[in-house]
Amino acid sequence: MQPYNRRTVEILEQFDYNAEKAATAIRDGKVLLSEEEKQRANKVRRGAVREVMKLCSDNGVKIMTLDDEEYPSLLKNIDNPPIVLFCAGELGGLDGTLTVSAVGTRTPSSYGISVTKRIIPQLTKVGTIITSGLAVGIDAAVHRSCIDNGGRTIGVLGCGIFVNYPAKNAGLKQEIVESGGAVISELLPFTKPSSEYFQHRNRIISGLSLGTLVLEAGEKSGALITANHACEQGREVFFIPPHDILSPSFMGVAALGRDGATPVYSYTDILYTLLKTADLDEFIRRELS
């Protein structure tokens, strides 16, 4: 089955996400599968599953399911959450923490990079955990800004966790893990990237966070897919106002503004919206002390 198969999630929900109970119910005929579902299930060989589990264990990759304590509750509560997460690094501790996703174009302008290097460090310094997609461009700048400023960041892949894509980010991927963050994927470890996987990956990026910040995006940017997922998930959407309203590279964020997303001129704009508290100054002082 596809990792983002809604039918699989529906079955697991009946058994409080306990895969063993669900499998037993299917075996005993308490859950009826269509012929197509039975055929797909029969293709999964137990030996292959054990092989993947050993491979991950030998390489320090956790296999996390919906009933694991470390599985982030924000992500669990989206429509069609990942059934399994392959995780390198540390994903725990997100619940009750300020979490923001930050995404953007693969071909950023100098303005987009400058804003990223300004906003992201400010957020990390007040304890915000930042999620992005480990792509080249804005995503890479987001992760780098987190690491260089002592922050914790999560990279979500559109390929298997043992696949270095894009290749130029292989070192950054390792640094994310070494700095206390995590790199995750819902795909089998050696799955090669595809456009379909990246689109589904974007729901995880937004699903991990209270809000999504689009730093720079054209009209067809994948970052807008992440923003759309955030809207559907009931999360906040933020955008950096364009420095040039005629530039094609900012047409996507301009559209977000017209659709009601929150413009960000300072990192405090994000904090005010997400914290929804009059004690913001006290929060900032506490986190910076």
Side-chain angles (χ1 to χ4, degrees):
M1 289 186 179
Q2 293 282 11
Y4 35 81
N5 187 291
R6 180 62 201 167
R7 170 64 171 153
T8 307
V9 176
E10 289 173 351
I11 293 173
L12 288 171
E13 284 175 343
Q14 296 178 43
F15 301 93
D16 295 324
Y17 300 110
N18 187 307
E20 186 174 348
K21 290 181 179 178
T24 300
I26 292 171
R27 182 199 64 194
D28 295 342
K30 295 178 180 179
V31 174
L32 300 179
L33 301 180
S34 67
E35 286 303 317
E36 182 182 359
E37 289 169 342
K38 290 177 182 178
Q39 290 175 11
R40 287 201 300 264
N42 288 333
K43 291 180 181 178
V44 179
R45 295 182 294 109
R46 291 184 180 181
V49 173
R50 286 195 294 268
E51 184 178 331
V52 169
M53 293 176 66
K54 184 178 186 306
L55 181 66
C56 290
S57 177
D58 291 346
N59 288 276
V61 172
K62 301 174 188 175
I63 302 176
M64 200 175 299
T65 58
L66 283 160
D67 61 343
D68 285 333
E69 289 185 5
E70 286 186 78
Y71 196 106
S73 60
L74 274 175
L75 184 60
K76 184 182 291 187
N77 289 327
I78 70 171
D79 183 56
N80 201 4
I83 300 163
V84 174
L85 288 175
F86 295 91
C87 174
E90 183 56 54
L91 190 61
L94 269 65
D95 294 349
T97 303
L98 193 60
T99 51
V100 172
S101 295
V103 294
T105 178
R106 288 175 168 81
T107 55
S109 65
S110 58
Y111 170 76
I113 293 295
S114 295
V115 172
T116 300
K117 291 181 177 180
R118 177 68 178 269
I119 294 287
I120 299 303
Q122 292 172 329
L123 288 170
T124 61
K125 286 178 181 177
V126 294
T128 310
I129 298 176
I130 309 290
T131 297
S132 196
L134 246 174
V136 296
I138 290 291
D139 288 14
V142 166
H143 293 303
R144 172 56 60 198
S145 294
C146 286
I147 294 169
D148 290 349
N149 290 276
R152 188 176 170 203
T153 184
I154 298 167
V156 186
L157 301 174
C159 58
I161 201 156
F162 292 145
V163 177
N164 287 323
Y165 181 86
K168 66 183 299 182
N169 280 352
L172 178 60
K173 179 180 173 183
Q174 185 61 33
E175 286 186 69
I176 289 173
V177 174
E178 293 173 351
S179 64
V183 175
I184 65 174
S185 174
E186 66 176 331
L187 300 164
L188 288 171
F190 288 104
T191 303
K192 294 181 179 180
S194 80
S195 58
E196 177 188 10
Y197 295 151
F198 283 111
Q199 291 180 26
H200 288 287
R201 177 276 307 265
N202 291 345
R203 86 190 192 285
I204 301 175
I205 295 175
S206 59
L208 283 167
S209 301
L210 296 167
T212 291
L213 169 64
V214 180
L215 289 144
E216 180 179 353
E219 286 184 297
K220 297 183 179 180
S221 173
L224 300 183
I225 298 176
T226 308
N228 287 337
H229 281 304
C231 287
E232 292 169 357
Q233 293 161 356
R235 313 292 168 82
E236 299 288 345
V237 177
F238 304 92
F239 73 100
I240 299 298
H243 79 303
D244 179 358
I245 61 172
L246 301 179
S247 172
S249 65
F250 289 95
M251 291 302 177
V253 291
L256 290 177
R258 288 193 294 270
D259 290 341
T262 301
V264 172
Y265 298 93
S266 164
Y267 77 108
T268 55
D269 293 326
I270 295 175
L271 300 185
Y272 274 117
T273 302
L274 295 183
L275 292 174
K276 294 182 174 63
T277 174
D279 299 324
L280 178 62
D281 291 339
E282 174 58 29
F283 170 82
I284 294 175
R285 281 196 297 271
R286 184 175 68 250
E287 293 296 332
L288 292 177
S289 63

